[in-house]
Amino acid sequence: MTQNASSAVTRMLQTHPQIGQSPFDMNALTECIEACFECAQVCTSCADACLGETEHAGHLTHCIRLNLDCADICTTTGRVLVRQTQPDMGVIRAQLQACLAACKACGDECQQHAEKMDMKHCAVCAESCRRCEQACQKMLGGLSA
Amino acid sequence: MTQNASSAVTRMLQTHPQIGQSPFDMNALTECIEACFECAQVCTSCADACLGETEHAGHLTHCIRLNLDCADICTTTGRVLVRQTQPDMGVIRAQLQACLAACKACGDECQQHAEKMDMKHCAVCAESCRRCEQACQKMLGGLSA
Amino acid sequence: MTQNASSAVTRMLQTHPQIGQSPFDMNALTECIEACFECAQVCTSCADACLGETEHAGHLTHCIRLNLDCADICTTTGRVLVRQTQPDMGVIRAQLQACLAACKACGDECQQHAEKMDMKHCAVCAESCRRCEQACQKMLGGLSA
Amino acid sequence: MTQNASSAVTRMLQTHPQIGQSPFDMNALTECIEACFECAQVCTSCADACLGETEHAGHLTHCIRLNLDCADICTTTGRVLVRQTQPDMGVIRAQLQACLAACKACGDECQQHAEKMDMKHCAVCAESCRRCEQACQKMLGGLSA
């Protein structure tokens, strides 16, 4: 995958029959879709890694719970955004706001565990959550403009 | 399942170790969880039924798209609500608002096809969307009280 | 919902435009779809209830992991089965076998915790897993006939 | 993301507390996880692109249906594989087989539309399906060894 100038999702958007009517900025959209799906994978993995921290799992209960919520919310947001045929802007805006809230809450929690307990998977996860939070914020900014 | 006075989800909530600390009204919560999961199934089915309307599928494009969004959003909302361990109220509120928006948009669209094209699956779907929209509204009302 | 003789999913299948060509026995299909979606909800809840068992969560790691797998697999199997437009029998058969394996593994694990640790949510979950396992088995039996 | 030598998922696996006990070949596992999640995104997009082909959507009904199944199955398979804490090999094997069947069916269908109708999104999708099918095959080969 390393030598591809464009990701598979980018190529899908470029070949979509209704992409010409898209109300979205293509760069912001592509970045947000990729951030959502990456965050969904990383949060699924972080919930599992926290569960596998046999000595610390008790302190990671809230983190696991937020990871599971964030994984589900990011998956759904990515799917809604990837669909370009006749979008409903009210639904998209509300789902982006939910995604932003989930990534903020999960990123804050993971960052704490990265800093205080040196949880390296939480450090990677906090980074993906921040990236997704910012991508959602940027998309929302573009929509209300 | 016919002779059970209580659904499986009700029994799960009743036996949850942290249900005593739940910030939610149990009746509203149970109703909302069941409405979300029912709506997710019905919207998945309505997208497929619309796709199978060989003579009318062209007129049902927007309906299919909204059904797919609504199915994903309701599944995720149901999963977030079913989790009772250390909930984040900001995430829950935002996801409920996204679910309300999706059910409103999808319910409006399906109701039109039920009335104008006599699409009976859209009539069933509109009913599930309304029920879920109202259950989300009721939950949101309880949270801000 | 109590006075409805038929569930929303039943009514959706009855109004589906291609239900006349369905290769499935309608009773077995309806039962399997409902069992898959119920099991998905219950496993999502059981993973969360186990996570909330603050004194026992360490012993429930394998249970949580199987619950999460089973919830995802049952959701996907229910969605695949609910679609009646031009099904691919090879895909359906393979997904039913995965669902059967997940419900068997998760049901066995939950039953142990129900019996040895008196985990009441695991008892409810084991019951939903068994019901879904049997419904998948019945569907698979009908397909190979 | 371009300058990262390793993807976020790779870094998550490397920092997982139980990765030392993993029964999987790390290269095959990482490749399969990435292929599953890419295919899930691409199939979600291809279903929507086919739906947006206003003049041809009638010929793409089977393609849309297979895309939706494949998107759900690949998402679930990716989630199951990403979890490294106490895996159940029977569940993983069965889910990999379902994923292989879905990618094969969807890849075959998309390739036809790419060749006969010059559907460029189907060409991209067929490629992702093939990559995922092969990655699942490789994982299954490693498990039975």
Side-chain angles (χ1 to χ4, degrees):
Chain A
M1 214 157 66
T2 41
Q3 67 273 59
N4 284 341
S6 60
S7 70
V9 165
T10 303
R11 281 178 287 150
M12 288 306 291
L13 292 178
Q14 285 166 346
T15 57
H16 193 291
Q18 306 205 350
I19 204 66
Q21 296 100 290
S22 177
F24 304 105
D25 172 81
M26 279 301 114
N27 285 338
L29 178 67
T30 308
E31 199 182 318
C32 197
I33 291 170
E34 291 185 345
C36 283
F37 285 120
E38 182 191 280
C39 196
Q41 297 167 41
V42 167
C43 283
T44 302
S45 181
C46 195
D48 181 73
C50 288
L51 189 66
E53 294 284 357
T54 42
E55 291 175 35
H56 304 288
H59 296 99
L60 295 167
T61 303
H62 192 47
C63 194
I64 294 173
R65 194 252 142 86
L66 288 173
N67 274 319
L68 294 174
D69 284 357
C70 198
D72 289 342
I73 290 172
C74 286
T75 299
T76 283
T77 310
R79 282 175 163 230
V80 169
L81 289 176
V82 113
R83 295 185 188 117
Q84 289 297 305
T85 298
Q86 301 187 25
D88 179 296
M89 300 309 276
V91 174
I92 289 169
R93 190 176 288 112
Q95 190 56 45
L96 279 167
Q97 278 162 337
C99 195
L100 194 152
C103 290
K104 173 95 178 68
C106 192
D108 286 353
E109 183 74 17
C110 277
Q111 196 169 328
Q112 272 192 39
H113 299 301
E115 288 170 5
K116 295 186 188 161
M117 298 168 74
D118 196 29
M119 290 279 156
K120 292 189 197 316
H121 45 82
C122 285
V124 179
C125 190
E127 209 184 293
S128 285
C129 288
R130 293 298 173 221
R131 186 184 164 219
C132 192
E133 184 191 342
Q134 285 162 14
C136 290
Q137 190 71 72
K138 201 168 160 184
M139 277 288 287
L140 282 165
L143 294 186
S144 55
Chain B
M1 210 157 68
T2 42
Q3 68 272 59
N4 283 341
S6 60
S7 71
V9 165
T10 303
R11 282 178 286 151
M12 287 306 291
L13 291 177
Q14 285 166 345
T15 57
H16 193 290
Q18 306 205 352
I19 204 67
Q21 295 100 288
S22 176
F24 304 104
D25 172 81
M26 277 303 114
N27 285 338
L29 178 67
T30 307
E31 199 182 319
C32 196
I33 291 171
E34 291 184 345
C36 283
F37 285 119
E38 182 191 281
C39 195
Q41 298 166 41
V42 167
C43 283
T44 302
S45 180
C46 195
D48 180 72
C50 289
L51 189 66
E53 294 283 359
T54 43
E55 291 175 36
H56 305 288
H59 296 100
L60 295 167
T61 303
H62 191 46
C63 194
I64 295 173
R65 194 255 142 87
L66 287 173
N67 274 319
L68 294 174
D69 284 356
C70 198
D72 289 343
I73 290 173
C74 286
T75 299
T76 283
T77 309
R79 283 175 162 231
V80 169
L81 288 177
V82 111
R83 295 185 188 118
Q84 289 296 306
T85 298
Q86 302 186 27
D88 180 295
M89 301 308 277
V91 174
I92 289 169
R93 190 175 288 111
Q95 189 56 45
L96 279 167
Q97 277 160 339
C99 195
L100 194 152
C103 290
K104 173 92 177 69
C106 192
D108 285 353
E109 184 74 17
C110 277
Q111 196 168 328
Q112 272 192 39
H113 299 300
E115 289 170 4
K116 294 186 189 162
M117 298 168 74
D118 196 30
M119 290 279 155
K120 292 190 196 315
H121 45 82
C122 286
V124 180
C125 191
E127 209 184 295
S128 285
C129 289
R130 293 297 174 222
R131 186 184 164 218
C132 191
E133 185 191 342
Q134 286 163 14
C136 290
Q137 191 70 72
K138 201 168 160 185
M139 277 289 286
L140 282 164
L143 295 186
S144 55
Chain C
M1 214 160 67
T2 42
Q3 67 272 58
N4 283 342
S6 60
S7 70
V9 165
T10 303
R11 280 178 287 152
M12 287 305 291
L13 291 177
Q14 285 166 346
T15 57
H16 194 290
Q18 305 205 351
I19 204 67
Q21 296 99 290
S22 177
F24 304 105
D25 172 81
M26 278 302 115
N27 286 337
L29 178 67
T30 307
E31 199 183 318
C32 196
I33 291 170
E34 292 184 345
C36 283
F37 285 120
E38 180 190 282
C39 196
Q41 298 167 40
V42 168
C43 283
T44 302
S45 181
C46 196
D48 180 72
C50 288
L51 189 65
E53 294 283 359
T54 42
E55 291 175 35
H56 304 289
H59 295 99
L60 296 167
T61 303
H62 192 46
C63 194
I64 295 173
R65 194 254 141 85
L66 287 173
N67 276 318
L68 294 174
D69 284 357
C70 198
D72 289 343
I73 290 172
C74 286
T75 299
T76 283
T77 310
R79 283 175 162 231
V80 169
L81 288 177
V82 113
R83 295 185 189 116
Q84 289 297 305
T85 298
Q86 301 187 26
D88 180 296
M89 300 310 276
V91 174
I92 289 169
R93 191 177 287 111
Q95 190 55 45
L96 279 167
Q97 278 162 338
C99 195
L100 194 153
C103 290
K104 173 94 178 68
C106 192
D108 286 353
E109 184 74 17
C110 277
Q111 196 169 328
Q112 271 192 40
H113 299 300
E115 289 171 3
K116 295 185 188 161
M117 298 168 74
D118 196 29
M119 290 280 155
K120 292 189 197 314
H121 45 81
C122 286
V124 179
C125 191
E127 210 184 293
S128 284
C129 289
R130 292 300 174 221
R131 186 184 164 219
C132 191
E133 183 191 343
Q134 286 162 15
C136 290
Q137 191 71 72
K138 201 167 160 186
M139 277 289 287
L140 282 164
L143 294 187
S144 55
Chain D
M1 212 158 66
T2 41
Q3 68 272 60
N4 283 342
S6 59
S7 70
V9 165
T10 304
R11 282 178 286 151
M12 288 306 291
L13 291 177
Q14 285 165 346
T15 57
H16 194 290
Q18 307 205 351
I19 203 68
Q21 296 100 288
S22 176
F24 303 104
D25 172 81
M26 278 303 113
N27 286 337
L29 177 68
T30 307
E31 199 182 318
C32 197
I33 291 170
E34 290 184 346
C36 284
F37 285 119
E38 182 191 280
C39 196
Q41 298 167 40
V42 168
C43 284
T44 302
S45 180
C46 195
D48 180 72
C50 289
L51 189 66
E53 294 284 358
T54 42
E55 291 175 35
H56 305 289
H59 296 100
L60 295 167
T61 304
H62 192 46
C63 194
I64 295 173
R65 194 254 142 86
L66 287 173
N67 275 319
L68 294 174
D69 284 357
C70 198
D72 289 342
I73 290 173
C74 286
T75 299
T76 284
T77 309
R79 283 175 161 229
V80 169
L81 288 176
V82 112
R83 296 184 188 117
Q84 289 296 305
T85 297
Q86 302 187 26
D88 180 296
M89 299 309 276
V91 174
I92 290 169
R93 189 177 288 110
Q95 190 55 46
L96 279 167
Q97 277 161 339
C99 194
L100 194 151
C103 289
K104 173 94 179 66
C106 191
D108 285 354
E109 184 74 17
C110 277
Q111 196 169 327
Q112 271 192 40
H113 300 299
E115 288 171 5
K116 294 186 189 162
M117 298 167 73
D118 196 30
M119 290 280 155
K120 293 191 196 313
H121 45 81
C122 285
V124 179
C125 191
E127 210 183 294
S128 285
C129 288
R130 294 296 174 224
R131 186 184 164 218
C132 191
E133 184 191 342
Q134 286 162 15
C136 290
Q137 191 72 71
K138 202 169 161 185
M139 278 288 287
L140 282 165
L143 295 186
S144 56

